[in-house]
Each structure stands twice: as structure tokens, then as C-alpha cells.
Amino acid sequence: MATGDQERADERPARRGAGWALGGLLVAAAAVVIVIVVRSQQVTPFLPSAQRGCGTAKLLVLPGQQVPMTCKVQALDSSAVETLAAVSGGKPLVVNFWASWCEACYQEMPDLQRVSTAAGGSVHFLGLDLLGVQGEVASEAEAFAKARKVTYPLAYDDGALLYGRISPRFLPPTTAFVRPDGTLAGYHVGQLDTVELRQEVQQYLGVQVPA
């Protein structure tokens, strides 16, 4: 082989190695971008836990005890912040805890909507998304709610602060039944259909919702 040909042959591995190195750098750079994007979706609470007024974290509220009605939640579709007392408005309140990654929540939400509509204001409903729990982000929660066409109020329970006070087990969906005086009448862990939900509204809140 001529000297020039040998030199070109010797350059090929070096060039191939340089190409691989460049490719590795591009992959690494892409990975950094992905990490940045993922980290940018980490949830920053709209209020520090201590300012939400939900009481002592993980201190269970037992049936018959007072739910922290001063607990603040942020509306899903706006930056509005309300207390549970404001959402209740002196009416019995059904609080449903959910997340976009929860398949049972997805199946249950239309039934909650039907019973909420049938109740006609005699019972108020509130859906609380477990924002920041197991990767839950606002964009996914909003898309989930839009797909289910929910009209009753939806808000965020950042870090499941209130949920941790209501349910002894982390197993959404979970539904709490709160009397007009703010006491916890009872709760249900797991999915409810319309028949079961109407039964439990009557059992815990004393309101008969028409079918």
C-alpha cells in the first residue's frame, strides 16, 4: 500500500473514535437537558405546609372529630386559594382525593360527577389532587380533569397534607364525608360507583340523593 493510503487508513480509526466521542457528548448533553426538564416539573408548594392551616401532618382525624376546615387548597384552574369551610359553605361536604396516575380515580370521577349533579347543591363536592405525590404534576392533573369533564370544584392537596390526616392508608381514591359542622362522619378507601356513593352520602351525611 502507498504511504498516503496507509496514512488515510490510519486516520480512519481516529476519526471514528472522535465521532463516537462526539456522539457520546451529544447523548450526555441530551441527558442533562432531560434531567433539567424533569427537575423543572418538580412541584413547589404554593404555600408552605405550616401556612396551609391543615394542622399537624399525619395526625389522623378520626370519625367524629373535627376536620381542619381552615385548611387552604388552591383551585386547579386558577390561583384562587380557598379554605375547606368556604368550599363547604355550611353544607355537607364530600371530599375525594385523587391523582392522574390512579386508574381507579379515572374510572370513579364520572360517578362522582353524576351524584354531585343529582345532589343539586344539597351536598357540596370537592376533588383534591395529590400534587407532588409519586410524580404528580399540575399539567397532568389538569389534563385528567379536562378529560373527565368535571364541573364540581377541583383543587390541589400539595404533598397529600390533608389526605395524610384523613386516611390511615395511602390508597387513592379515598372519599371523606364531612358534616356541616366540620366533623368527619366517615371515609371510604377505594373506588365508589354511583349506587355506593349515594348510599354512603345518606349513611354519613343524612342526605338522600335521587338516582
Side-chain angles (χ1 to χ4, degrees):
M1 181 183 295
T3 302
D5 292 338
Q6 181 63 48
E7 289 175 351
R8 284 192 293 274
D10 291 342
E11 289 174 359
R12 286 173 194 146
R15 290 176 180 175
R16 188 179 297 115
W20 288 341
L22 179 59
L25 288 173
L26 291 175
V27 170
V32 170
V33 171
I34 291 171
V35 169
I36 291 172
V37 170
V38 170
R39 286 181 178 172
S40 71
Q41 293 179 344
Q42 294 296 318
V43 176
T44 300
F46 68 95
L47 279 178
S49 298
Q51 295 181 22
R52 284 190 57 197
C54 300
T56 304
K58 298 182 180 179
L59 179 61
L60 280 178
V61 175
L62 301 176
Q65 294 181 341
Q66 190 74 26
V67 173
M69 300 301 283
T70 56
C71 184
K72 299 180 181 70
V73 295
Q74 181 181 5
L76 208 73
D77 58 356
S78 72
S79 58
V81 176
E82 288 191 296
T83 63
L84 295 183
V87 176
S88 169
K91 298 284 187 178
L93 179 65
V94 174
V95 183
N96 177 256
F97 297 91
W98 59 276
S100 65
W101 42 258
C102 167
E103 179 61 30
C105 301
Y106 189 83
Q107 295 172 3
E108 178 188 61
M109 197 170 273
D111 289 331
L112 286 159
Q113 177 62 56
R114 292 185 190 98
V115 176
S116 171
T117 301
S122 60
V123 178
H124 288 181
F125 282 67
L126 173 64
L128 290 180
D129 173 62
L130 302 177
L131 185 67
V133 176
Q134 293 188 14
E136 182 76 335
V137 294
S139 58
E140 293 294 332
E142 291 167 9
F144 178 100
K146 186 177 294 185
R148 303 322 278 154
K149 297 182 171 63
V150 173
T151 60
Y152 58 83
L154 297 176
Y156 297 113
D157 180 22
D158 288 1
L161 184 60
L162 181 61
Y163 183 52
R165 299 212 56 200
I166 298 294
S167 178
R169 291 189 295 165
F170 185 83
L171 190 65
T174 296
T175 305
F177 302 87
V178 183
R179 299 187 183 102
D181 64 359
T183 56
L184 178 65
Y187 63 89
H188 181 100
V189 178
Q191 184 178 345
L192 288 166
D193 60 25
T194 54
V195 173
E196 294 168 329
L197 184 54
R198 286 198 302 270
Q199 289 173 345
E200 297 203 7
V201 167
Q202 183 168 12
Q203 174 187 346
Y204 290 124
L205 302 177
V207 178
Q208 185 170 1
V209 179

